[in-house]
Amino acid sequence: RARQPIPAPAARRQVPMSLFSTWFGGCVGGRSCFESEPLPLEAPAKAQLKLPLPTRRRSVKSIDDITPPWGLSPSSWKMPGCGCRRRPNSPSMAKAFDDLERDAALLAPLLKALCLLSLGARARGRFSAAPVETPHSPIEDALVPDDQEWVLMQRAVPEGVYAQLCSLRALVARYDDHPACVQEPHSRRATTLLRFLRARGSDTRLAAKLFGDAMRWRSEFEVDRKLAEWKAEWADGESERARLMHEHEYIKLCGSDRNGCPVYVHQMVQGDPVGIAREVGEETVLLHYIWIFEEQTTAMRAQFLKTGRVVPGCVDIYDTGNYAGLPGAVPRALAKVPYYMGFARIFEVVYPERLHVAFVLRAPHFFDVVWRAASSAIPEATRRKCRIFSSRRAASAWREEVGALVPPESVPPWLRTDDAQMFGEAARLGGLVPRRR
């Protein structure tokens, strides 16, 4: 018998044998797979499957509770482009329909899961097509304390800085139970972490390392215990070192700056920290500086909580005038360099970004020598904050610049004028410590 020619592919009937072939046959071809007319391969896609979203919310406790809007029963399905719902009479079509029922039963859980994802169900058990807002913080809420300080900080700094601050908080969260954070939660305070972040140029890894070094030093030195004991001893004034410090005190609180932080005047030439350390120990001098710096950083945080503005730092005034005419100013100044270099290394780690501006007023002619010797231990960022005015210049040279940061009533009277009659109060600060041993 002569072989019958094979019909062209376009004339063949497409009989799908599974759920997916049935589904996409109706969607892409634009006709039902149950129709008797052939499906041309070149027919463009005319119909698309559009799933109606639910118009109301309903509780979803598990995947099994979700039913697609078009139902999961194969007998009730209506394929796109198909106008029949009854079972076909053709044996081949009946077999395809049986396969469809079998596949639908097997794939029903999968379709339910797809509905759960595509229609926007969330872990909180609500069924909604509306998008769910993500939390603003880039880390878990448990890592960022939900208190007023962090709320104010989020408003006070740019979004990128706040994200870095939250990342730093995540890195230092392991110090929450550190001995240095038992009395004061340094690791949970936004203002403290911001100072460490700025000290390391917004590098969170370096800032976390610096914070860890500071906490270890505070724990080893026992800052909280020793400082509390020194404050009580200073107030009592009966111990030997308390009487000596009261007698030769060379650091004076003179008021507050325009940000509300305390301003201290350090009488550098008339002060004798070397003699104090010789008589009562170097730790006494260090504790006195720590007391001042703790007061300043505490005031910075208090002003931030009060105003909602980040305080850039505190203002220090270093008076280098020799009003009492003490002898040996040059050798005594050079003897102080090792002490201040050691203190500077500690303060750089423990109190970073504490200083806003340091005014060095009435610097003598030998100050350049002392500055070159001591500046190697001072960080570059701190050196840029120092404003030095020579003794050859009048008080009017620094009055305007100092007054921009410190109100006149907080500047000592002998630094507001060149009148020698005002130098009497300054002459009483400090003094040489006699040898008593």
Side-chain angles (χ1 to χ4, degrees), residues 380-408:
E380 176 63 25
T382 304
R383 290 200 298 268
R384 291 196 298 266
K385 298 176 181 179
C386 296
R387 302 288 292 118
I388 302 175
F389 294 88
S390 171
S391 60
R392 294 185 295 270
R393 304 181 65 180
S396 58
W398 63 73
R399 188 182 300 138
E400 182 178 355
E401 188 171 352
V402 174
L405 299 175
V406 182

